[in-house]
Amino acid sequence: GENVEQHPSTLSVQEGDSAVIKCTYSDSASNYFPWYKQELGKGPQLIIDIRSNVGEKKDQRIAVTLNKTAKHFSLHITETQPEDSAVYFCAASFQHAGNMLTFGGGTRLMVKP
Amino acid sequence: DGGITQSPKYLFRKEGQNVTLSCEQNLNHDAMYWYRQDPGQGLRLIYYSQIVNDFQKGDIAEGYSVSREKKESFPLTVTSAQKNPTAFYLCATQDGQKNSPLHFGNGTRLTVT
Protein backbone atom coordinates (compact mmCIF):
# COMPACT_ATOMS: atom_id res chain seq x y z
CA GLY A 1 0.00 0.00 0.00
CA GLU A 2 0.94 3.68 0.17
CA ASN A 3 3.91 4.44 2.34
CA VAL A 4 5.81 7.61 3.25
CA GLU A 5 8.95 7.31 5.37
CA GLN A 6 10.27 10.42 7.13
CA HIS A 7 13.70 10.92 8.74
CA PRO A 8 14.92 11.87 11.23
CA SER A 9 12.22 11.58 13.87
CA THR A 10 13.95 14.24 15.98
CA LEU A 11 16.43 16.92 14.96
CA SER A 12 18.23 19.40 17.16
CA VAL A 13 20.15 22.33 15.64
CA GLN A 14 21.75 25.52 16.85
CA GLU A 15 20.05 28.77 15.97
CA GLY A 16 21.33 29.98 12.62
CA ASP A 17 22.23 26.52 11.34
CA SER A 18 20.36 24.71 8.57
CA ALA A 19 17.94 21.82 9.06
CA VAL A 20 17.11 19.13 6.52
CA ILE A 21 14.25 16.63 6.74
CA LYS A 22 13.95 13.82 4.21
CA CYS A 23 11.02 11.73 3.00
CA THR A 24 10.71 8.78 0.66
CA TYR A 25 7.52 7.51 -0.95
CA SER A 26 6.46 4.27 -2.56
CA ASP A 27 4.14 5.23 -5.44
CA SER A 28 6.01 6.35 -8.55
CA ALA A 29 2.78 8.00 -9.77
CA SER A 30 2.67 10.40 -6.79
CA ASN A 31 2.73 13.96 -8.06
CA TYR A 32 1.95 16.28 -5.13
CA PHE A 33 4.12 16.73 -2.02
CA PRO A 34 3.10 19.19 0.72
CA TRP A 35 4.94 19.96 3.96
CA TYR A 36 3.18 20.90 7.19
CA LYS A 37 4.35 22.53 10.43
CA GLN A 38 2.54 21.68 13.66
CA GLU A 39 3.03 23.78 16.78
CA LEU A 40 2.11 22.46 20.19
CA GLY A 41 -1.64 22.13 20.71
CA LYS A 42 -2.51 23.27 17.19
CA GLY A 43 -3.38 21.70 13.86
CA PRO A 44 -0.76 21.27 11.11
CA GLN A 45 -0.32 24.28 8.84
CA LEU A 46 0.83 24.06 5.21
CA ILE A 47 4.21 25.75 4.79
CA ILE A 48 5.25 24.76 1.28
CA ASP A 49 4.31 22.26 -1.41
CA ILE A 50 5.75 21.01 -4.67
CA ARG A 51 4.32 19.27 -7.70
CA SER A 52 6.12 16.69 -9.77
CA ASN A 53 6.73 18.97 -12.72
CA VAL A 54 9.36 20.95 -10.77
CA GLY A 55 12.49 19.86 -8.94
CA GLU A 56 12.82 22.65 -6.39
CA LYS A 57 10.77 25.40 -4.84
CA LYS A 58 11.83 28.15 -2.43
CA ASP A 59 9.97 30.49 -0.12
CA GLN A 60 12.28 32.73 1.88
CA ARG A 61 14.18 30.45 4.32
CA ILE A 62 12.32 27.31 3.30
CA ALA A 63 12.97 25.16 0.24
CA VAL A 64 11.76 21.78 -0.93
CA THR A 65 13.58 19.54 -3.42
CA LEU A 66 12.11 16.58 -5.27
CA ASN A 67 13.89 13.66 -6.91
CA LYS A 68 11.22 11.66 -8.75
CA THR A 69 13.65 9.03 -9.99
CA ALA A 70 14.75 8.19 -6.48
CA LYS A 71 11.25 8.85 -5.05
CA HIS A 72 12.41 11.19 -2.33
CA PHE A 73 11.87 14.79 -1.38
CA SER A 74 13.40 17.02 1.27
CA LEU A 75 12.62 20.13 3.31
CA HIS A 76 15.46 22.58 3.85
CA ILE A 77 15.25 25.35 6.45
CA THR A 78 18.13 27.84 6.45
CA GLU A 79 19.13 30.29 9.19
CA THR A 80 16.95 28.51 11.70
CA GLN A 81 15.26 30.50 14.46
CA PRO A 82 13.74 29.34 17.78
CA GLU A 83 10.25 29.88 16.34
CA ASP A 84 11.00 27.18 13.75
CA SER A 85 10.82 24.65 16.60
CA ALA A 86 7.81 22.43 15.86
CA VAL A 87 6.84 19.07 14.40
CA TYR A 88 7.10 18.87 10.61
CA PHE A 89 5.16 16.40 8.45
CA CYS A 90 5.70 15.50 4.83
CA ALA A 91 2.96 13.99 2.69
CA ALA A 92 2.53 12.50 -0.77
CA SER A 93 -0.51 11.99 -2.95
CA PHE A 94 -1.27 8.49 -4.17
CA GLN A 95 -2.93 8.18 -7.54
CA HIS A 96 -4.61 4.86 -6.91
CA ALA A 97 -6.07 6.18 -3.67
CA GLY A 98 -7.90 9.00 -5.43
CA ASN A 99 -4.98 11.37 -4.90
CA MET A 100 -5.45 11.26 -1.14
CA LEU A 101 -2.50 12.31 0.96
CA THR A 102 -0.46 9.89 3.04
CA PHE A 103 1.63 11.45 5.80
CA GLY A 104 5.09 10.68 7.07
CA GLY A 105 5.59 10.01 10.75
CA GLY A 106 6.78 13.53 11.59
CA THR A 107 10.05 15.18 12.66
CA ARG A 108 10.37 17.11 15.90
CA LEU A 109 12.72 20.02 15.20
CA MET A 110 14.30 21.80 18.14
CA VAL A 111 16.24 25.01 17.50
CA LYS A 112 18.50 25.94 20.40
CA PRO A 113 19.09 29.65 20.97
CA ASP B 1 -7.18 27.88 10.25
CA GLY B 2 -10.01 30.40 10.67
CA GLY B 3 -12.21 28.58 8.17
CA ILE B 4 -12.38 25.32 10.14
CA THR B 5 -13.82 25.28 13.63
CA GLN B 6 -13.38 22.32 15.93
CA SER B 7 -15.16 22.41 19.22
CA PRO B 8 -14.63 22.03 22.03
CA LYS B 9 -10.84 22.36 22.34
CA TYR B 10 -10.79 20.06 25.39
CA LEU B 11 -13.30 17.33 26.15
CA PHE B 12 -13.52 15.00 29.10
CA ARG B 13 -15.70 11.91 29.28
CA LYS B 14 -16.17 8.86 31.43
CA GLU B 15 -15.42 5.46 29.99
CA GLY B 16 -18.46 3.84 28.39
CA GLN B 17 -19.98 7.09 27.14
CA ASN B 18 -20.29 8.07 23.50
CA VAL B 19 -19.02 11.54 22.64
CA THR B 20 -19.39 13.66 19.50
CA LEU B 21 -16.70 16.02 18.24
CA SER B 22 -17.78 18.91 16.07
CA CYS B 23 -16.13 20.11 12.86
CA GLU B 24 -17.58 23.02 10.88
CA GLN B 25 -16.07 24.70 7.81
CA ASN B 26 -16.90 27.82 5.82
CA LEU B 27 -14.34 27.22 3.06
CA ASN B 28 -16.91 25.60 0.74
CA HIS B 29 -14.61 22.59 0.45
CA ASP B 30 -16.04 19.33 -0.82
CA ALA B 31 -13.91 16.87 1.13
CA MET B 32 -13.57 16.54 4.88
CA TYR B 33 -11.37 14.25 6.97
CA TRP B 34 -10.89 13.09 10.54
CA TYR B 35 -7.43 12.15 11.84
CA ARG B 36 -6.29 10.86 15.18
CA GLN B 37 -2.93 11.87 16.66
CA ASP B 38 -1.37 10.20 19.70
CA PRO B 39 1.49 11.83 21.66
CA GLY B 40 4.65 11.95 19.59
CA GLN B 41 2.97 10.14 16.73
CA GLY B 42 1.89 10.91 13.19
CA LEU B 43 -1.59 11.32 11.73
CA ARG B 44 -3.87 8.33 11.29
CA LEU B 45 -6.97 8.59 9.11
CA ILE B 46 -10.26 7.65 10.78
CA TYR B 47 -12.93 8.59 8.22
CA TYR B 48 -13.28 10.84 5.20
CA SER B 49 -16.05 12.25 3.07
CA GLN B 50 -15.61 13.54 -0.45
CA ILE B 51 -19.21 14.60 -0.95
CA VAL B 52 -22.35 15.22 1.09
CA ASN B 53 -24.18 12.06 2.22
CA ASP B 54 -21.18 9.86 1.46
CA PHE B 55 -18.21 8.84 3.61
CA GLN B 56 -15.54 6.16 3.67
CA LYS B 57 -13.60 4.36 6.37
CA GLY B 58 -9.97 5.24 6.85
CA ASP B 59 -7.24 3.13 8.41
CA ILE B 60 -8.59 3.13 11.98
CA ALA B 61 -12.39 3.45 11.70
CA GLU B 62 -13.29 0.83 14.32
CA GLY B 63 -15.10 2.40 17.28
CA TYR B 64 -15.90 5.62 15.42
CA SER B 65 -18.85 6.84 13.35
CA VAL B 66 -19.50 9.92 11.21
CA SER B 67 -22.23 11.66 9.25
CA ARG B 68 -22.14 14.18 6.41
CA GLU B 69 -25.63 15.64 6.13
CA LYS B 70 -24.38 19.11 5.22
CA LYS B 71 -21.36 20.28 3.25
CA GLU B 72 -20.24 22.47 6.15
CA SER B 73 -20.34 19.84 8.87
CA PHE B 74 -18.65 16.49 9.53
CA PRO B 75 -19.18 15.39 13.15
CA LEU B 76 -17.24 12.45 14.58
CA THR B 77 -18.71 10.20 17.27
CA VAL B 78 -16.30 8.27 19.45
CA THR B 79 -18.26 5.29 20.69
CA SER B 80 -17.77 3.15 23.77
CA ALA B 81 -16.44 0.45 21.44
CA GLN B 82 -13.25 2.46 20.86
CA LYS B 83 -10.75 0.86 23.22
CA ASN B 84 -8.29 3.73 23.55
CA PRO B 85 -10.21 6.91 22.81
CA THR B 86 -7.91 9.39 24.59
CA ALA B 87 -6.14 11.30 21.80
CA PHE B 88 -5.91 14.55 19.85
CA TYR B 89 -8.47 14.62 17.02
CA LEU B 90 -7.93 16.72 13.91
CA CYS B 91 -10.47 17.65 11.26
CA ALA B 92 -9.32 18.71 7.80
CA THR B 93 -10.89 19.90 4.56
CA GLN B 94 -9.81 19.83 0.93
CA ASP B 95 -11.31 21.50 -2.11
CA GLY B 96 -12.37 19.48 -5.11
CA GLN B 97 -9.29 20.16 -7.23
CA LYS B 98 -6.83 17.40 -7.91
CA ASN B 99 -3.72 17.47 -5.72
CA SER B 100 -4.81 20.29 -3.45
CA PRO B 101 -3.58 20.63 0.15
CA LEU B 102 -5.47 19.71 3.29
CA HIS B 103 -6.47 22.52 5.64
CA PHE B 104 -6.59 21.55 9.31
CA GLY B 105 -8.57 22.78 12.27
CA ASN B 106 -6.88 23.28 15.64
CA GLY B 107 -8.04 20.00 17.03
CA THR B 108 -9.97 18.62 20.00
CA ARG B 109 -8.13 16.91 22.82
CA LEU B 110 -10.33 14.12 24.18
CA THR B 111 -9.59 12.55 27.54
CA VAL B 112 -11.56 9.51 28.65
CA THR B 113 -11.16 8.26 32.20
Side-chain angles (χ1 to χ4, degrees):
Chain A
E2 315 87 1
N3 192 39
V4 177
E5 297 282 342
Q6 183 172 346
H7 298 281
S9 57
T10 60
L11 179 59
S12 181
V13 300
Q14 207 65 38
E15 182 177 358
D17 288 350
S18 295
V20 180
I21 303 170
K22 299 181 179 181
C23 289
T24 59
Y25 58 97
S26 57
D27 183 2
S28 58
S30 293
N31 52 18
Y32 177 62
F33 308 91
W35 284 90
Y36 289 84
K37 175 183 181 182
Q38 186 179 26
E39 297 178 341
L40 194 61
K42 295 187 176 181
Q45 298 294 307
L46 179 72
I47 54 171
I48 195 168
D49 57 8
I50 191 168
R51 289 175 170 77
S52 60
N53 56 344
V54 297
E56 183 175 358
K57 184 176 178 180
K58 285 189 74 172
D59 183 2
Q60 299 181 13
R61 297 186 296 108
I62 294 173
V64 56
T65 58
L66 171 64
N67 183 328
K68 285 220 73 179
T69 303
K71 293 190 286 186
H72 68 71
F73 57 112
S74 301
L75 178 71
H76 305 253
I77 306 174
T78 59
E79 300 171 28
T80 54
Q81 300 167 3
E83 52 264 40
D84 294 329
S85 297
V87 178
Y88 291 81
F89 290 98
C90 65
S93 65
F94 285 87
Q95 193 173 49
H96 66 273
N99 289 300
M100 284 184 58
L101 295 178
T102 295
F103 287 85
T107 296
R108 180 171 298 278
L109 173 64
M110 294 168 283
V111 180
K112 299 177 182 177
Chain B
D1 192 324
I4 302 169
T5 302
Q6 288 190 245
S7 60
K9 189 168 180 62
Y10 299 97
L11 193 52
F12 298 88
R13 280 293 183 272
K14 294 290 187 185
E15 194 174 319
Q17 293 179 337
N18 290 355
V19 59
T20 298
L21 281 59
S22 169
C23 179
E24 301 283 329
Q25 57 115 348
N26 61 7
L27 300 172
N28 200 33
H29 285 175
D30 291 313
M32 297 186 75
Y33 301 79
W34 275 106
Y35 288 89
R36 171 183 172 137
Q37 189 175 31
D38 292 286
Q41 302 295 313
L43 305 171
R44 292 190 288 169
L45 182 64
I46 304 172
Y47 266 100
Y48 64 99
S49 167
Q50 294 184 319
I51 196 168
V52 174
N53 292 322
D54 186 49
F55 48 83
Q56 307 294 331
K57 292 182 179 180
D59 301 319
I60 57 164
E62 185 175 349
Y64 299 97
S65 66
V66 294
S67 62
R68 187 84 188 277
E69 297 176 1
K70 299 186 300 181
K71 189 174 186 178
E72 302 80 16
S73 179
F74 190 41
L76 173 74
T77 297
V78 184
T79 75
S80 56
Q82 167 52 234
K83 296 192 185 328
N84 297 297
T86 295
F88 188 51
Y89 290 88
L90 286 160
C91 176
T93 69
Q94 186 181 35
D95 71 25
Q97 294 185 32
K98 187 177 176 180
N99 293 332
S100 57
L102 294 184
H103 301 260
F104 286 89
N106 275 326
T108 291
R109 186 167 298 282
L110 173 65
T111 302
V112 177
T113 57

